mmCIF file with all atom_site columns, all heavy atoms in Angstrom:
data_model
loop_
_atom_site.group_PDB
_atom_site.id
_atom_site.type_symbol
_atom_site.label_atom_id
_atom_site.label_alt_id
_atom_site.label_comp_id
_atom_site.label_asym_id
_atom_site.label_entity_id
_atom_site.label_seq_id
_atom_site.pdbx_PDB_ins_code
_atom_site.Cartn_x
_atom_site.Cartn_y
_atom_site.Cartn_z
_atom_site.occupancy
_atom_site.B_iso_or_equiv
_atom_site.pdbx_formal_charge
_atom_site.auth_seq_id
_atom_site.auth_comp_id
_atom_site.auth_asym_id
_atom_site.auth_atom_id
_atom_site.pdbx_PDB_model_num
ATOM 1   N N   . LEU S 1 70 ? -38.456 -25.787 36.091 1.00 0.00 ? 442 LEU S N   1
ATOM 2   C CA  . LEU S 1 70 ? -37.510 -25.062 36.985 1.00 0.00 ? 442 LEU S CA  1
ATOM 3   C C   . LEU S 1 70 ? -36.095 -25.827 36.999 1.00 0.00 ? 442 LEU S C   1
ATOM 4   O O   . LEU S 1 70 ? -35.390 -25.701 37.947 1.00 0.00 ? 442 LEU S O   1
ATOM 5   C CB  . LEU S 1 70 ? -38.077 -25.015 38.439 1.00 0.00 ? 442 LEU S CB  1
ATOM 6   C CG  . LEU S 1 70 ? -39.052 -23.896 38.748 1.00 0.00 ? 442 LEU S CG  1
ATOM 7   C CD1 . LEU S 1 70 ? -39.742 -24.079 40.052 1.00 0.00 ? 442 LEU S CD1 1
ATOM 8   C CD2 . LEU S 1 70 ? -38.306 -22.414 38.716 1.00 0.00 ? 442 LEU S CD2 1
ATOM 9   N N   . GLY S 1 71 ? -35.918 -26.519 35.883 1.00 0.00 ? 443 GLY S N   1
ATOM 10  C CA  . GLY S 1 71 ? -34.651 -27.333 35.851 1.00 0.00 ? 443 GLY S CA  1
ATOM 11  C C   . GLY S 1 71 ? -33.778 -26.942 34.750 1.00 0.00 ? 443 GLY S C   1
ATOM 12  O O   . GLY S 1 71 ? -32.843 -27.774 34.422 1.00 0.00 ? 443 GLY S O   1
ATOM 13  N N   . GLN S 1 72 ? -33.853 -25.748 34.160 1.00 0.00 ? 444 GLN S N   1
ATOM 14  C CA  . GLN S 1 72 ? -32.977 -25.416 33.043 1.00 0.00 ? 444 GLN S CA  1
ATOM 15  C C   . GLN S 1 72 ? -31.603 -25.298 33.293 1.00 0.00 ? 444 GLN S C   1
ATOM 16  O O   . GLN S 1 72 ? -30.739 -25.482 32.518 1.00 0.00 ? 444 GLN S O   1
ATOM 17  C CB  . GLN S 1 72 ? -33.519 -24.136 32.439 1.00 0.00 ? 444 GLN S CB  1
ATOM 18  C CG  . GLN S 1 72 ? -33.181 -23.953 30.916 1.00 0.00 ? 444 GLN S CG  1
ATOM 19  C CD  . GLN S 1 72 ? -33.958 -24.877 30.024 1.00 0.00 ? 444 GLN S CD  1
ATOM 20  O OE1 . GLN S 1 72 ? -34.827 -25.636 30.479 1.00 0.00 ? 444 GLN S OE1 1
ATOM 21  N NE2 . GLN S 1 72 ? -33.679 -24.731 28.705 1.00 0.00 ? 444 GLN S NE2 1
ATOM 22  N N   . ALA S 1 73 ? -31.186 -25.100 34.701 1.00 0.00 ? 445 ALA S N   1
ATOM 23  C CA  . ALA S 1 73 ? -29.768 -25.044 34.998 1.00 0.00 ? 445 ALA S CA  1
ATOM 24  C C   . ALA S 1 73 ? -29.140 -26.382 34.770 1.00 0.00 ? 445 ALA S C   1
ATOM 25  O O   . ALA S 1 73 ? -27.898 -26.333 34.688 1.00 0.00 ? 445 ALA S O   1
ATOM 26  C CB  . ALA S 1 73 ? -29.710 -24.683 36.460 1.00 0.00 ? 445 ALA S CB  1
ATOM 27  N N   . ALA S 1 74 ? -29.854 -27.451 34.613 1.00 0.00 ? 446 ALA S N   1
ATOM 28  C CA  . ALA S 1 74 ? -29.228 -28.731 34.393 1.00 0.00 ? 446 ALA S CA  1
ATOM 29  C C   . ALA S 1 74 ? -28.655 -28.710 33.002 1.00 0.00 ? 446 ALA S C   1
ATOM 30  O O   . ALA S 1 74 ? -27.473 -29.262 32.793 1.00 0.00 ? 446 ALA S O   1
ATOM 31  C CB  . ALA S 1 74 ? -30.267 -29.929 34.485 1.00 0.00 ? 446 ALA S CB  1
ATOM 32  N N   . LEU S 1 75 ? -29.262 -28.097 32.033 1.00 0.00 ? 447 LEU S N   1
ATOM 33  C CA  . LEU S 1 75 ? -28.642 -27.958 30.762 1.00 0.00 ? 447 LEU S CA  1
ATOM 34  C C   . LEU S 1 75 ? -27.545 -26.944 30.715 1.00 0.00 ? 447 LEU S C   1
ATOM 35  O O   . LEU S 1 75 ? -26.576 -27.203 29.874 1.00 0.00 ? 447 LEU S O   1
ATOM 36  C CB  . LEU S 1 75 ? -29.841 -27.466 29.765 1.00 0.00 ? 447 LEU S CB  1
ATOM 37  C CG  . LEU S 1 75 ? -31.195 -28.193 29.920 1.00 0.00 ? 447 LEU S CG  1
ATOM 38  C CD1 . LEU S 1 75 ? -32.155 -27.785 28.857 1.00 0.00 ? 447 LEU S CD1 1
ATOM 39  C CD2 . LEU S 1 75 ? -30.962 -29.756 29.799 1.00 0.00 ? 447 LEU S CD2 1
ATOM 40  N N   . PHE S 1 76 ? -27.686 -25.878 31.429 1.00 0.00 ? 448 PHE S N   1
ATOM 41  C CA  . PHE S 1 76 ? -26.624 -24.908 31.467 1.00 0.00 ? 448 PHE S CA  1
ATOM 42  C C   . PHE S 1 76 ? -25.321 -25.558 32.117 1.00 0.00 ? 448 PHE S C   1
ATOM 43  O O   . PHE S 1 76 ? -24.231 -25.376 31.609 1.00 0.00 ? 448 PHE S O   1
ATOM 44  C CB  . PHE S 1 76 ? -27.077 -23.687 32.399 1.00 0.00 ? 448 PHE S CB  1
ATOM 45  C CG  . PHE S 1 76 ? -26.159 -22.567 32.461 1.00 0.00 ? 448 PHE S CG  1
ATOM 46  C CD1 . PHE S 1 76 ? -26.079 -21.545 31.571 1.00 0.00 ? 448 PHE S CD1 1
ATOM 47  C CD2 . PHE S 1 76 ? -25.304 -22.571 33.589 1.00 0.00 ? 448 PHE S CD2 1
ATOM 48  C CE1 . PHE S 1 76 ? -25.163 -20.487 31.704 1.00 0.00 ? 448 PHE S CE1 1
ATOM 49  C CE2 . PHE S 1 76 ? -24.315 -21.478 33.821 1.00 0.00 ? 448 PHE S CE2 1
ATOM 50  C CZ  . PHE S 1 76 ? -24.378 -20.447 32.884 1.00 0.00 ? 448 PHE S CZ  1
ATOM 51  N N   . GLY S 1 77 ? -25.534 -26.298 33.291 1.00 0.00 ? 449 GLY S N   1
ATOM 52  C CA  . GLY S 1 77 ? -24.411 -26.986 33.850 1.00 0.00 ? 449 GLY S CA  1
ATOM 53  C C   . GLY S 1 77 ? -23.817 -27.955 32.908 1.00 0.00 ? 449 GLY S C   1
ATOM 54  O O   . GLY S 1 77 ? -22.649 -28.226 33.083 1.00 0.00 ? 449 GLY S O   1
ATOM 55  N N   . ALA S 1 78 ? -24.609 -28.762 32.239 1.00 0.00 ? 450 ALA S N   1
ATOM 56  C CA  . ALA S 1 78 ? -24.097 -29.703 31.337 1.00 0.00 ? 450 ALA S CA  1
ATOM 57  C C   . ALA S 1 78 ? -23.072 -29.195 30.324 1.00 0.00 ? 450 ALA S C   1
ATOM 58  O O   . ALA S 1 78 ? -22.009 -29.668 30.110 1.00 0.00 ? 450 ALA S O   1
ATOM 59  C CB  . ALA S 1 78 ? -25.208 -30.460 30.617 1.00 0.00 ? 450 ALA S CB  1
ATOM 60  N N   . GLY S 1 79 ? -23.537 -28.005 29.670 1.00 0.00 ? 451 GLY S N   1
ATOM 61  C CA  . GLY S 1 79 ? -22.657 -27.324 28.862 1.00 0.00 ? 451 GLY S CA  1
ATOM 62  C C   . GLY S 1 79 ? -21.229 -26.775 29.625 1.00 0.00 ? 451 GLY S C   1
ATOM 63  O O   . GLY S 1 79 ? -20.234 -26.848 29.034 1.00 0.00 ? 451 GLY S O   1
ATOM 64  N N   . ALA S 1 80 ? -21.504 -26.230 30.813 1.00 0.00 ? 452 ALA S N   1
ATOM 65  C CA  . ALA S 1 80 ? -20.413 -25.754 31.510 1.00 0.00 ? 452 ALA S CA  1
ATOM 66  C C   . ALA S 1 80 ? -19.365 -26.774 31.877 1.00 0.00 ? 452 ALA S C   1
ATOM 67  O O   . ALA S 1 80 ? -18.171 -26.754 31.727 1.00 0.00 ? 452 ALA S O   1
ATOM 68  C CB  . ALA S 1 80 ? -20.862 -25.023 32.822 1.00 0.00 ? 452 ALA S CB  1
ATOM 69  N N   . TYR S 1 81 ? -19.900 -27.895 32.359 1.00 0.00 ? 453 TYR S N   1
ATOM 70  C CA  . TYR S 1 81 ? -19.058 -28.998 32.748 1.00 0.00 ? 453 TYR S CA  1
ATOM 71  C C   . TYR S 1 81 ? -18.403 -29.738 31.658 1.00 0.00 ? 453 TYR S C   1
ATOM 72  O O   . TYR S 1 81 ? -17.161 -30.153 31.762 1.00 0.00 ? 453 TYR S O   1
ATOM 73  C CB  . TYR S 1 81 ? -19.752 -30.033 33.609 1.00 0.00 ? 453 TYR S CB  1
ATOM 74  C CG  . TYR S 1 81 ? -19.846 -29.735 35.181 1.00 0.00 ? 453 TYR S CG  1
ATOM 75  C CD1 . TYR S 1 81 ? -20.947 -29.205 35.724 1.00 0.00 ? 453 TYR S CD1 1
ATOM 76  C CD2 . TYR S 1 81 ? -18.641 -29.737 35.977 1.00 0.00 ? 453 TYR S CD2 1
ATOM 77  C CE1 . TYR S 1 81 ? -20.941 -28.893 37.030 1.00 0.00 ? 453 TYR S CE1 1
ATOM 78  C CE2 . TYR S 1 81 ? -18.707 -29.472 37.187 1.00 0.00 ? 453 TYR S CE2 1
ATOM 79  C CZ  . TYR S 1 81 ? -19.763 -28.955 37.928 1.00 0.00 ? 453 TYR S CZ  1
ATOM 80  O OH  . TYR S 1 81 ? -19.725 -28.706 39.247 1.00 0.00 ? 453 TYR S OH  1
ATOM 81  N N   . ALA S 1 82 ? -19.058 -29.933 30.534 1.00 0.00 ? 454 ALA S N   1
ATOM 82  C CA  . ALA S 1 82 ? -18.592 -30.490 29.308 1.00 0.00 ? 454 ALA S CA  1
ATOM 83  C C   . ALA S 1 82 ? -17.392 -29.706 28.849 1.00 0.00 ? 454 ALA S C   1
ATOM 84  O O   . ALA S 1 82 ? -16.336 -30.282 28.473 1.00 0.00 ? 454 ALA S O   1
ATOM 85  C CB  . ALA S 1 82 ? -19.629 -30.690 28.215 1.00 0.00 ? 454 ALA S CB  1
ATOM 86  N N   . ALA S 1 83 ? -17.557 -28.343 28.784 1.00 0.00 ? 455 ALA S N   1
ATOM 87  C CA  . ALA S 1 83 ? -16.448 -27.499 28.331 1.00 0.00 ? 455 ALA S CA  1
ATOM 88  C C   . ALA S 1 83 ? -15.276 -27.484 29.351 1.00 0.00 ? 455 ALA S C   1
ATOM 89  O O   . ALA S 1 83 ? -14.163 -27.561 28.780 1.00 0.00 ? 455 ALA S O   1
ATOM 90  C CB  . ALA S 1 83 ? -17.008 -26.048 28.125 1.00 0.00 ? 455 ALA S CB  1
ATOM 91  N N   . GLY S 1 84 ? -15.594 -27.491 30.573 1.00 0.00 ? 456 GLY S N   1
ATOM 92  C CA  . GLY S 1 84 ? -14.462 -27.494 31.602 1.00 0.00 ? 456 GLY S CA  1
ATOM 93  C C   . GLY S 1 84 ? -13.715 -28.809 31.598 1.00 0.00 ? 456 GLY S C   1
ATOM 94  O O   . GLY S 1 84 ? -12.520 -28.808 31.638 1.00 0.00 ? 456 GLY S O   1
ATOM 95  N N   . ILE S 1 85 ? -14.423 -29.946 31.479 1.00 0.00 ? 457 ILE S N   1
ATOM 96  C CA  . ILE S 1 85 ? -13.746 -31.207 31.424 1.00 0.00 ? 457 ILE S CA  1
ATOM 97  C C   . ILE S 1 85 ? -12.865 -31.403 30.175 1.00 0.00 ? 457 ILE S C   1
ATOM 98  O O   . ILE S 1 85 ? -11.808 -31.918 30.245 1.00 0.00 ? 457 ILE S O   1
ATOM 99  C CB  . ILE S 1 85 ? -14.762 -32.364 31.607 1.00 0.00 ? 457 ILE S CB  1
ATOM 100 C CG1 . ILE S 1 85 ? -15.531 -32.352 32.971 1.00 0.00 ? 457 ILE S CG1 1
ATOM 101 C CG2 . ILE S 1 85 ? -14.147 -33.692 31.313 1.00 0.00 ? 457 ILE S CG2 1
ATOM 102 C CD1 . ILE S 1 85 ? -16.607 -33.301 33.070 1.00 0.00 ? 457 ILE S CD1 1
ATOM 103 N N   . ALA S 1 86 ? -13.452 -30.852 29.088 1.00 0.00 ? 458 ALA S N   1
ATOM 104 C CA  . ALA S 1 86 ? -12.715 -30.998 27.915 1.00 0.00 ? 458 ALA S CA  1
ATOM 105 C C   . ALA S 1 86 ? -11.448 -30.022 27.894 1.00 0.00 ? 458 ALA S C   1
ATOM 106 O O   . ALA S 1 86 ? -10.327 -30.511 27.450 1.00 0.00 ? 458 ALA S O   1
ATOM 107 C CB  . ALA S 1 86 ? -13.486 -30.533 26.604 1.00 0.00 ? 458 ALA S CB  1
#
Side-chain angles (χ1 to χ4, degrees):
L442 275 169
Q444 202 74 359
L447 315 183
F448 183 88
Y453 272 110
I457 293 172

